Amino acid sequence: MKLLASAFVAMLALSGCQSAYYAAWEKVGVEKRDILVDRVENAKESQEDAQEQFNSALEAFSAAVAFDGGELEDVYNRLNRQYEDSVAASEEVSSRIDKVESVAEALFDEWSEELEKYENASLKRDSAAKLRETKRRYASLMTAMRKAESKMPPVLSALQDNVLYLKHNLNASAIGALQGELSTIENNVAQLIRQMNSAIAESDAFISSMKN
């Protein structure tokens, strides 16, 4: 779903007035359920982008370890750019997960409150069952997303340490010191990619269930 943002809705989003923000969307026919699906898709895309970025950072680190001539300052600059891009990718992932959480909480609160408005007991039971199932799927999704998110700081920490070390030791011996860190970073990135693949699969499953 492509949400066509208006200046009014954008202003409400920036102001942090979530209830007014959702109400504005509802006036143009966009329900919280639609926003949730849209935000899960955005979170999924940010994780896919982060996978590419962390792989790129790993490649740059591997190239630095294999350094065999040239300007060490250039090596440092490349690694530092990759580290900074990885930090930005990590922040984007976390931000989009938080946005998923925000609208999901609003949706579930509204859904629970509206169950009390039913006069038909059968329809109420059916809606309550669907709410429980949606919450169950959502809990599984958030667990996967937050687990993937938790794998980013160790990679960023290792990259930062090595970038700083190279910055202050621009000599051949510094490259030797980095070599001992390569396997740790490789393992951390591999774990991150696996967890993100799991979160992406959960995202696809959740989106599919919400569209049925």
Side-chain angles (χ1 to χ4, degrees), residues 80-150:
N80 190 49
R81 283 195 299 271
Q82 289 293 335
Y83 166 69
E84 290 175 349
D85 288 348
S86 297
V87 169
S90 173
E91 290 173 348
E92 182 68 7
V93 168
S94 294
S95 173
R96 291 192 174 184
I97 294 174
D98 289 344
K99 288 178 179 179
V100 169
E101 197 168 49
S102 174
V103 70
E105 290 174 356
L107 171 63
F108 295 145
D109 285 346
E110 178 185 73
W111 196 340
S112 295
E113 290 172 3
E114 291 181 343
L115 284 176
E116 302 308 314
K117 297 180 180 180
Y118 278 93
E119 295 293 337
N120 186 302
S122 177
L123 291 178
K124 180 177 181 178
R125 284 194 301 272
D126 183 65
S127 184
K130 288 179 179 177
L131 172 57
R132 288 193 297 272
E133 177 61 14
T134 304
K135 281 185 172 182
R136 185 192 67 78
R137 288 181 178 275
Y138 169 74
S140 180
L141 169 66
M142 289 305 296
T143 296
M145 282 187 170
R146 291 301 187 188
K147 191 170 184 180
E149 180 187 32
S150 74

Side-chain angles (χ1 to χ4, degrees), residues 54-67 75 78-79 82 158-163 166 174-175 177-186 189:
F54 279 100
N55 271 325
S56 179
L58 177 59
E59 289 171 4
F61 190 83
S62 298
V65 168
F67 174 81
V75 175
R78 283 195 295 273
L79 276 181
Q82 289 293 335
L159 287 174
Q160 181 184 49
D161 285 351
N162 285 280
V163 167
L166 187 58
I175 296 299
L178 297 186
Q179 290 175 343
E181 300 293 319
L182 179 58
S183 62
T184 298
I185 293 177
E186 286 177 332
V189 170

